[in-house]
Amino acid sequence: MDPTQLIFTATTWIVPILTAITLHEAAHAYSAWRLGDDTAFRLGRVTFNPIRHVDPFGTIIVPGLLLLTGAPFLFGWAKPVPVAVGRLGNPRRDMALVAFAGPLMNVGLAIVSALLLRAVPLFPEAAAPWIVQTLYQSILLNLVLAIFNMLPLPPLDGSRILASLLPAGLARHYARLDRFGFLILIGIIFLLPMLGRQVGLDLNLFRWLVGVPLAWLTPFFLTLAGGG
């Protein structure tokens, strides 16, 4: 990839990455505050200013390196929002609502991006290719994040929602998986596909668990954008 194309590609990812990852956490913070826990509020996290949620390594360095090396996927994270479950009005129910707020924000951002694509003719023609690319990538990234975070795997949001639905005893046992959450994700995203290639099997669970729902949802958003 020549330098000009590299700069174009990188800049079309900057806004989607920053908004998708950081506003996901902002939604957690805002919903926790509204439901009775002011922990994130006291830390200045109840804001939609992306800078307050940026993790220098996870939000900037990791996605940047993946872009520069031409990796086939993007991966990153923002600073997690602390939630004191005991301060919520109804801890089991409200924790599920706090968890669901993040993926819901990503779906909302995907909808906004799709609708903004309809306004591209209002912008200067020279800027249109950059705007179109940025908005399409915003739709894709936000949908991937929403689907991925709804998987019932610790420490993803889906695991918090599932824990709130399980009987109390079973939920406590399930919550103990949190300490192994990062290792579980690394295994599913990276190690299983590598093992599958060695033995001649398709063990890319990420593609099945995220790619299939993504393929099902994408046509709706393309239609919303005026391209379907």
Side-chain angles (χ1 to χ4, degrees):
M1 186 182 296
D2 65 81
T4 301
Q5 183 61 36
L6 179 61
I7 292 172
F8 177 87
T9 300
T11 55
T12 60
W13 278 111
I14 289 174
V15 173
I17 289 173
L18 280 177
T19 56
I21 295 177
T22 60
L23 295 189
H24 176 104
E25 294 300 328
H28 287 318
Y30 180 79
S31 58
W33 175 53
R34 295 293 295 175
L35 290 168
D37 174 28
D38 66 348
T39 305
F41 178 81
R42 288 185 285 106
L43 294 172
R45 300 293 301 279
V46 181
T47 174
F48 290 103
N49 176 3
I51 302 303
R52 300 293 298 178
H53 306 286
V54 166
D55 178 297
F57 186 71
T59 313
I60 299 172
I61 295 176
V62 170
L65 288 175
L66 291 174
L67 278 172
L68 290 173
T69 57
F73 59 88
L74 283 177
F75 184 72
W77 61 90
K79 288 190 294 187
V81 167
V83 179
V85 179
R87 294 184 177 181
L88 298 171
N90 184 328
R92 282 172 63 83
R93 182 203 65 190
D94 292 350
M95 190 62 231
L97 294 174
V98 171
F100 185 63
L104 185 62
M105 169 61 77
N106 290 126
V107 172
L109 289 171
I111 291 172
V112 169
S113 299
L115 293 175
L116 285 175
L117 277 167
R118 291 179 175 266
V120 168
L122 302 177
F123 291 90
E125 187 175 344
W130 185 90
I131 295 171
V132 169
Q133 183 86 347
T134 299
L135 291 175
Y136 270 118
Q137 288 174 172
S138 177
I139 294 171
L140 173 64
L141 180 60
N142 277 288
L143 288 179
V144 168
L145 282 176
I147 297 167
F148 179 64
N149 275 285
M150 285 300 292
L151 296 178
L153 300 171
L156 301 178
D157 298 324
S159 71
R160 311 291 188 231
I161 296 171
L162 177 59
S164 73
L165 299 174
L166 293 173
L170 188 56
R172 283 193 295 272
H173 288 293
Y174 180 63
R176 291 173 186 166
L177 292 175
D178 271 8
R179 72 187 74 175
F180 308 110
F182 189 72
L183 294 177
I184 293 171
L185 292 181
I186 293 296
I188 290 175
I189 297 173
F190 299 107
L191 300 183
L192 269 181
M194 291 172 57
L195 176 63
R197 286 193 293 270
Q198 295 298 319
V199 299
L201 296 173
D202 183 3
L203 298 179
N204 191 339
L205 295 183
F206 181 85
R207 184 172 66 223
W208 289 102
L209 296 175
V210 177
V212 172
L214 179 65
W216 181 75
L217 288 171
T218 299
F220 168 77
F221 284 86
L222 293 180
T223 299
L224 195 63

